[in-house]
């Protein structure tokens, strides 16, 4: 099996990872834990869904991926990423207290998901309220308030969790898994709760999409149009708290905000429509969630959170590199092809210059002339000529010494020279720049001027025939002729200007 | 006399169809003794204002005079400390759809993942109310409005790729799509190119001629004289409100700008132009 071979190669590195997580894996003694099986067996177990623990883990991971992906999109476009982080850390005391409450209710099976859910949600909302209060009553800004609340609530949570683990019933509780996540600890009642929350999130976001969109983009306008922006904000925060809390079991308190932000950030790089961003983000969240669950399972129930977040990060890196519009690779490729085009155009221009110096006598230009003009070696000139012939802009004579421009090559060469000289003239005439200051600028601008702009320039310069250095400016008819003047001896460059 | 701060609790069910502007003889905007304070420090003091129908009104004053605050307070975006506002004789909430708004361009994130069309469609949201989605007719209206500001070819572009002038036109198209009778515009000429400025002022005059009432926050004194029928000179209180030729005087502008020398020289220049 494919997976098997791939992962046996990295077996040793897996053990290193295991060592890193040793303090946590020491507790990994819950459902679905099979410490002596090989990775192949684990993979088979995962994909055959025989084990209900595997089923719950996978379904749960997919559900949390969807809800975190959807709500994360709004967090990202509303620039509230830190709020997600603070919220997720603030829930820990609630988780611990909910746990204590369920011990008090039923000491034999102390993990009642609903009680923990309620406790965590309340703690999260208290945390965000405290942030709001600090912001309103002091001069402190939101980021400072968020940082404080995050740390303070998290510390309280850690203290409570440590205390509970010292209780006789707390020891086997699995409460520690709320820190870094354990998908295999997801139970049937967890899945029910996750389904309810995810369906709720999907329905509310679909029904109130318009309201979420307008209040996120322009809250002032939304309120002026009669939308209760404040209420919608609170609804979003509540949904966010729900999404964080249902994700806790699998991702863990520490990393759950990453599942909100990273899939959404990757989606943001790939599209510029909110609806598509939501969809992509949910898909990425799903993929990262299930990949994390699988990898964790493969490594005998390593903490799931880090693997899910690594999965999401991998998606983000791919989007960052390969995104069709803003991707680094695409941008690099575009830049490279532009640089190559400029290089070709400069070679054509040099050929024109050499030929012009001979008053366009002869059929073509020799390699040594071109090399001399460009201050290059013959080899460099030759590789340039080959490049031109590859684009059908020039042909290289059989003995490899002479370059002839094709009609297309002539047109390009002629229009580049025309752009350059018209721009120089425009700078000296209209912008009052000295004639010896304009060349550098024209060197750049000649490659980007469009035909319409050039014709406007020409009109504004009253169809002048000579550039500031006294050389003839090729006219549009020279460009359009498509043949070098040698083929039409009765005409010279710059002739037939007012076409 | 005090009034509870405005709270906006969803759209008004009334006025689902556009009422013709000229059939309504009530005053578009009436403000009585309006005071607004930030952290107990007043920024607007006892504003009294009655704006007649079909006027293009410029709101002029120095930085911190409370120009934006005034229009935000009128629309209930900031709570009032005292006073009341009536829009066509009723509280703002009752006449939501008859009020259009162009916020400052800088107030939104132009990298937001929406298209030009999406933004203009938001102008229809107020009429739609909660839950309902824009219909084909709403899209047609949005397209018409985009055409009026010559931005139709950009309908499917993301807003990030627009110039400042184009962004302002999009905001204007969104306000047009609101099909309102009373408009509040916060610096619609801010940072736009000359061509856009001309296009916008032409459009504002056209709206006025169709019986709409427009209040426009404006920064540039020399053009203020030519652009507006009426001027509101504001500096925490109403310094003067009236027909431009009556209000645009050296003395009144000096009172408004209160000894700020750079602005005074600008005023002197503007007044000089007028008297020349």
């Amino acid at each position: 099996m494919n997976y098997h071979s791939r992962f046996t190669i990295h077996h040793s590195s897996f053990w290193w990872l295991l060592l890193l997580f040793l303090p946590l894996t020491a507790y990994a003694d819950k459902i679905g834990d099979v410490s002596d099986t090989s990775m192949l067996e684990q993979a088979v177990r995962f994909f055959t869904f025989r084990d209900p623990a595997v089923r719950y883990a996978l379904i749960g991971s997919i559900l949390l991926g969807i809800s975190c992906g959807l709500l994360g999109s709004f967090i990202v476009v509303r620039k509230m990423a830190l709020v997600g982080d603070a919220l997720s850390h603030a829930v820990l005391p609630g988780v611990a207290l909910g746990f204590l409450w369920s011990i008090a209710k039923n000491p034999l099976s102390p993990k009642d998901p609903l009680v923990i859910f309620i406790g965590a949600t309340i703690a999260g909302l208290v945390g965000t309220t405290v942030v709001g209060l600090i912001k309103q009553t002091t001069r402190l800004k939101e980021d400072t308030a968020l940082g404080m609340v995050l740390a303070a609530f998290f510390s309280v949570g850690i203290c409570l969790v440590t205390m509970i683990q010292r209780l006789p019933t707390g020891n086997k509780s699995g409460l520690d898994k709320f820190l870094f996540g354990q998908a295999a600890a997801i139970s049937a009642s967890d899945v029910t709760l996750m389904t309810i929350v995810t369906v709720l999130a999907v329905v509310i976001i679909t029904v109130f999409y318009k309201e979420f969109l307008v209040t996120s983009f322009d809250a002032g306008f939304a309120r002026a149009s009669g939308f209760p922006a404040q209420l919608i904000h609170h609804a979003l925060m509540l949904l966010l708290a729900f999404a964080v809390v249902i994700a806790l079991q699998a991702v863990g308190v520490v990393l759950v905000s990453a599942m909100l932000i990273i899939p959404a950030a990757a989606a943001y790089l790939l599209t510029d429509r909110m609806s598509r961003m939501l969809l992509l983000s949910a898909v990425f969240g799903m993929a990262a969630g299930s990949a994390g669950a699988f990898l964790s399972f493969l490594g005998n129930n390593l903490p799931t959170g880090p693997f899910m977040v690594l999965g999401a990060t991998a998606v983000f890196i791919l989007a960052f590199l390969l995104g069709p519009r803003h991707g680094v690779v695409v941008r690099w490729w575009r830049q490279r092809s532009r640089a190559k085009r400029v290089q070709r155009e400069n070679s054509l221009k040099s050929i024109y210059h050499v030929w012009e110096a001979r008053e366009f006598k002869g059929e073509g230009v020799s390699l040594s002339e071109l090399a001399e003009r460009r201050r290059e070696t013959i080899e460099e000139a030759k590789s340039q000529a080959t490049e031109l012939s590859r684009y059908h802009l020039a042909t290289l004579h059989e003995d490899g010494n002479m370059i002839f421009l094709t009609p297309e090559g002539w047109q390009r060469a002629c229009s580049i020279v025309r752009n350059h000289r018209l721009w120089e003239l425009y700078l000296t005439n209209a912008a009052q720049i000295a004639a010896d200051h304009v060349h550098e600028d024209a060197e750049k601008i000649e490659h980007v001027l469009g035909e319409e702009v050039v014709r406007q320039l020409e009109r504004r310069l009253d169809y002048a025939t000579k550039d500031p250095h006294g050389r003839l400016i090729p006219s549009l008819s020279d460009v359009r002729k498509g043949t070098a003047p040698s083929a039409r001896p009765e005409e010279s460059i710059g002739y037939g200007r007012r076409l | 006399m005090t009034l509870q701060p405005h709270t906006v609790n969803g759209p008004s069910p009334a006025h689902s169809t556009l009422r013709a502007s000229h059939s309504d003889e009530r005053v578009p905007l009436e403000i009585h003794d309006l005071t607004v304070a930030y952290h107990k420090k007043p920024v607007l003091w006892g504003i009294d204002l009655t704006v007649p129908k079909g006027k293009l009104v410029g709101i002029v004053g120095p930085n911190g005079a409370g120009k934006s605050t005034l229009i935000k307070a009128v629309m209930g975006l900031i709570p009032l400390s005292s006073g009341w506002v009536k829009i066509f004789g009723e509280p703002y909430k009752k006449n939501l759809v008859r009020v259009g708004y162009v916020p400052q361009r800088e107030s939104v994130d132009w990298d937001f993942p929406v298209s030009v069309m999406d933004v203009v469609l938001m102008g229809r949201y107020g009429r739609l109310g909660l839950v309902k989605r824009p219909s084909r007719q709403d899209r047609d209206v949005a397209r018409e409005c985009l055409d009026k500001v010559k931005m139709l070819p950009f309908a499917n572009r993301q807003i990030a790729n627009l110039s400042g002038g184009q962004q302002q036109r999009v905001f204007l198209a969104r306000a047009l799509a609101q099909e309102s009778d009373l408009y509040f515009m916060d610096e619609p000429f801010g940072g736009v190119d000359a061509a856009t400025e001309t296009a916008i002022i032409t459009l504002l005059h056209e709206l006025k001629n169709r019986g709409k009432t427009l209040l426009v926050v404006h920064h540039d004194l020399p053009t203020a004289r030519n652009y507006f029928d009426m001027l509101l000179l504001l500096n925490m209180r109403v310094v003067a409100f009236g027909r431009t030729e009556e209000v645009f005087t050296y003395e009144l502008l000096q009172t408004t700008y209160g000894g700020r020398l750079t602005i005074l020289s600008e005023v002197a220049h503007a007044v000089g132009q007028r008297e020349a």
Side-chain angles (χ1 to χ4, degrees), chain A residues 77 79 206-211 213-214 216-218 220-221 223-228 268 271-274 277, chain B residues 8 10-11 76-77 92 96 101 103 108-109 111-115 122 125 129-133 156 158 174 178:
Chain A
V77 297
K79 306 196 192 75
T206 317
V207 171
F208 294 103
Y209 173 72
K210 181 179 107 235
E211 285 73 16
L213 184 71
V214 70
S216 300
F217 174 64
D218 191 346
F221 181 83
R223 285 179 60 201
S225 309
F227 291 99
Y268 185 82
T271 174
D272 41 29
R273 294 292 183 280
M274 192 68 210
M277 181 176 165
Chain B
V8 181
L77 300 182
Y92 178 76
L96 275 171
Y101 179 35
V108 303
D109 170 18
D111 281 328
F112 201 92
V114 283
S115 68
M122 288 177 192
Y125 284 10
L130 288 172
V131 180
K132 235 167 109 191
R133 294 291 174 95
N156 291 318
Q158 199 216 342
R174 180 176 72 173
Q178 290 184 285

Side-chain angles (χ1 to χ4, degrees), chain B residues 109 146-147 160 198 259:
Chain B
D109 170 18
L146 270 176
D147 197 31
T198 318

Side-chain angles (χ1 to χ4, degrees), chain A residues 314-369:
Chain A
V315 173
F316 177 82
I317 290 172
L318 283 178
F320 172 71
L321 292 176
L322 302 175
R325 242 167 303 178
H326 315 292
V328 170
V329 171
V330 174
R331 278 214 306 260
W332 170 80
W333 181 256
R334 241 185 272 143
Q335 233 159 38
R336 184 172 170 273
S337 50
R338 198 183 317 134
K340 289 190 90 171
R341 179 176 63 86
V342 167
Q343 205 177 26
R344 284 197 301 277
E345 289 178 348
N346 284 338
S347 310
L348 286 171
K349 193 172 63 177
S350 301
I351 293 174
Y352 184 98
H353 285 151
V354 171
W355 208 4
E356 183 185 47
R358 276 204 261 118
E359 286 169 340
F360 297 104
K361 292 205 175 66
E363 301 277 313
V365 169
S366 77
L367 273 183
S368 55
E369 280 176 306

